[in-house]
Amino acid sequence: MAGRSFQHLLSFLMLLLLCAKPGLGNVTGCIERERQALLHFKRRLVDDYGLLSSWGDEHDNRNCCNWRGVQCSNQSGHVIMLHLQAPWSENLYQSLRGEISPSLLELDHLTHLDLSYNDFEGSSIPPFLGSLSRMQYLNLSQANLAQTVPTQLRNLSNLLSLDLSDNYLNFGNLEWLSRLSSLRHLDLSSVDLSKVIHWSQAINKLPSLIHLDLQNCDLPPIPPLTIPSLSHGNSSVPLVFVDLSSNHLTSSIYPWLLNFSTTLLHLDLYFNDLNGSIPEYAFGNMSSLEYLDLQWSELDDEIPDTIGDMGSLAYLDLSGNQLWGSIPDTVGKMVLLSHLDLSGNQLRGSIPDTVGKMVSLSHLDLSRNQLQGSIPDTVGKMVLLSHLDLSGNQLRGSIPDTVGKMVSLSHLDLSRNQLQGSIPDTVGKMVLLSHLDLSRNQLQGSIPDTVGNMVSLKNLYLSQNHLQGLQLLFLPY
Ligand SMILES: *[C@@H]1O[C@H](CO)[C@@H](O)[C@H](O)[C@H]1NC(C)=O
Ligand SMILES: *[C@@H]1O[C@H](CO)[C@@H](O)[C@H](O)[C@H]1NC(C)=O
Ligand SMILES: *[C@@H]1O[C@H](CO)[C@@H](O)[C@H](O)[C@H]1NC(C)=O
Ligand SMILES: *[C@@H]1O[C@H](CO)[C@@H](O)[C@H](O)[C@H]1NC(C)=O
Ligand SMILES: *[C@@H]1O[C@H](CO)[C@@H](O)[C@H](O)[C@H]1NC(C)=O
Ligand SMILES: *[C@@H]1O[C@H](CO)[C@@H](O)[C@H](O)[C@H]1NC(C)=O
Ligand SMILES: *[C@@H]1O[C@H](CO)[C@@H](O)[C@H](O)[C@H]1NC(C)=O
Ligand SMILES: *[C@@H]1O[C@H](CO)[C@@H](O)[C@H](O)[C@H]1NC(C)=O
C-alpha cells in the first residue's frame, strides 16, 4: 500500500514538474539568438585545449544550454550563467585566450559571468560589461587584464560579488564602486591601488558589503583624521571579513576599523606598518572578532592586558613584531583560542600559569623570544594541543611530568633553551607525537625506555645535551 501511494505521489510530482517548466518540452531548449551570440563569442577566443568543443553547430549539440559552462534558466530558456573559469590540469591552467566579444551583450539575462584564470593578453575590461544590468556575479580574477577599469561597471547595480583580483589593472579612484549598492563580496587583491588615497571612503559607501579583500594592493595609509572621532560600530557597512594584509597601512587605519567593531569576525592586517602599540581602544571593543592576524606589522610595545577581553578569538597571530614585556596573565581568558602565535618577538618574563586555561588551544608558538623561568605544570591541561613550540628562549628548570598529558601533541619543540634534569618518563604517553626536538639544552641522565612507546615518532633530535646511552636506544622507526 505504502509503495503504491508513494508511486502516485511520484507521478503527481513529475506532472507538476512538467507543467511548471515549459522549457523542458522544447527540442533545442536554447534561444537561437543567444546561441549565435555564444558562437560569436567563441570565434573571438583561442581555445588551445578544446574546452569549448561542445559549442558547435552539429545537430546533436545544437542545444546551447548543454554546452560546457553554459547554464540556462529552466523557466525562460535564457542563458543566465557562463562558468568559464580555466580548469587546472597537468600543472597549468588551461586558459582560453583572445578577446571578450561584445556579442555577450545579446545574453541580456546573464546573472553570472566567470572568466577567471583565462588569458586576455593584457587587454582592458570591456566597458560593455556595464550594460549587462542583471549581473549578480562577475569574476575576472587572474585573467591577464590590464589598464584602467571602465567606469561603466558602476551601472551593475544588481552585482552581489565582484572579483577583479590578480590583474594588472590601474585604479585612479574607487568612486565607480559607490553605486554598487547590493555588493556583498569585493575582491581587488593584488591589483594596484597605490594612487587611491580615499579608498576607505569608497568602501564606506557600500551598504551591503560583508567581505572585503584588498590584500597586496600597495594601499597607502588612510589620511589621518583631523579630528579623530572614535565611533564604535557606527558604520552602516556590515563588514564581517576584512583582509588588508601586505599593504602600507599605519595606525591611522584603526579609527576606520572601529566603525565595524560590532560586525567584524575576521581581520587580517599582517605585513603593514602599524608601528607602535596594539591599541586597547581598537581591538578591546571588537567583541565578536574570531580571527586576528597582526604578524610582521612593526608593532613595538607591550601586549596590553585587555587582549584577554577578546573572548571570541579563535586565532591570534602577533609573530614577527618587536613586542616586549611579558605575556599577560589575561591570555587565560581566551578560552576559545585555538591558534596562538607570539613567536619572533622580544617577550621576557615567564610563561604565565594561565596558559593552561586556554583549553581550546591546538597550536601554541612562543619560540624565538627571551622567555625565562620554567615551563609551567599547567601545560598538561591543554589536552587539545597538537603543536607546541617553545624553542629559542631562555627557559630553565626541568621538563614537567605533565607534558605526558598533552595526548594530542604531534609536534613538540623545546630546543635551544637551558632546560635541565632528565627527560620525564611520561613522554611515552604522547603516542601521536611525530616530531620531538629537545636538542641544545642541558638535559641529563639516560633516555627513558618509554620513548619506545611513541609509535608515531618520525623525527627525534636530542643532540647537544648531556644525555647518556644515546647509542643504545632502540627507536620504533
Ligand atoms: C534546472 O534544471 C536542472 C537540470 O534539469 C536542475 O539541475 C536545476 O536544479 C534546475 N534549476 C531550477 C532552479 O529549477
Ligand atoms: C520553446 O519553443 C517555443 C516555440 O518554439 C519558444 O517560443 C520558446 O521560447 C522556447 N522555449 C525555450 C525554453 O527555448
Ligand atoms: C549606465 O547608466 C546610465 C544611466 O543610469 C546610462 O545613461 C548609461 O548608458 C549606462 N551605461 C551603460 C554602459 O550601460
Ligand atoms: C573567482 O574565481 C577564482 C578561480 O576560479 C576563485 O578562486 C575565486 O574564489 C572566485 N571569486 C569569487 C568571489 O567567487
Ligand atoms: C554615528 O554617525 C553619525 C553620522 O554618520 C553621527 O551623527 C553620530 O553621532 C554617530 N554616533 C556615534 C555614537 O558616534
Ligand atoms: C564611520 O562610519 C560613519 C558612518 O558611515 C562615517 O560617516 C565615518 O566617516 C566613518 N569613519 C571613518 C573613520 O571612516
Ligand atoms: C610610526 O611610523 C611613522 C612613519 O614611519 C612615524 O612618523 C611615527 O613616529 C612612528 N610611530 C611610532 C610610535 O613609532
Ligand atoms: C568600547 O566602546 C565603548 C562605547 O563606545 C567605550 O565607552 C569603551 O571605552 C570602549 N572600550 C575600549 C576598551 O576601548
Side-chain angles (χ1 to χ4, degrees), residues 127-132 152-155 179:
F128 70 79
L129 290 183
S131 304
L132 291 165
Q152 283 85 348
L153 291 190
R154 77 172 62 223
N155 277 19
R179 275 173 52 199

Side-chain angles (χ1 to χ4, degrees), residues 169-293:
L169 299 166
N170 293 319
F171 293 81
N173 61 58
L174 292 178
E175 291 310 314
W176 56 276
L177 276 177
S178 64
R179 275 173 52 199
L180 306 184
S181 56
S182 309
L183 199 64
R184 296 159 62 88
H185 187 119
L186 176 62
D187 190 344
L188 299 178
S189 57
S190 300
V191 304
D192 182 0
L193 297 180
S194 60
K195 297 192 185 70
V196 188
I197 306 295
H198 296 296
W199 62 269
S200 62
Q201 289 171 21
I203 303 299
N204 283 348
K205 291 178 190 150
L206 297 173
S208 308
L209 198 66
I210 290 171
H211 181 113
L212 174 66
D213 194 339
L214 298 179
Q215 63 170 299
N216 192 30
C217 290
D218 261 337
L219 277 181
I222 293 186
L225 299 170
T226 36
I227 307 160
S229 74
L230 303 177
S231 42
H232 291 283
N234 198 16
S235 173
S236 46
V237 187
L239 272 178
V240 167
F241 177 105
V242 173
D243 190 343
L244 299 173
S245 57
S246 303
N247 285 296
H248 307 288
L249 303 171
T250 65
S251 52
S252 66
I253 189 73
Y254 298 131
W256 183 71
L257 285 173
L258 270 175
N259 251 351
F260 316 109
S261 57
T262 54
T263 53
L264 269 187
L265 299 185
H266 181 114
L267 178 57
D268 212 328
L269 287 172
Y270 84 82
F271 233 77
N272 276 290
D273 304 323
L274 310 172
N275 54 359
S277 55
I278 302 171
E280 300 180 29
Y281 73 82
F283 300 111
N285 262 349
M286 293 193 178
S287 48
S288 41
L289 203 62
E290 293 172 1
Y291 182 107
L292 179 59
D293 192 343

Side-chain angles (χ1 to χ4, degrees), residues 37 156 161 180 245 291 307 310 361 369 383 408 468 474:
L156 298 176
S161 174
L180 306 184
S245 57
Y291 182 107
I307 197 96
M310 304 177 74
L361 266 193
N369 279 290
V383 290
S408 307
Q468 290 138 27
F474 168 73

Side-chain angles (χ1 to χ4, degrees), residues 348-360:
R348 290 175 180 273
S350 48
I351 300 173
D353 282 344
T354 51
V355 291
K357 293 190 177 154
M358 294 191 280
V359 288
S360 306

Side-chain angles (χ1 to χ4, degrees), residues 180 296 418:
L180 306 184
W296 296 100
Q418 290 144 35

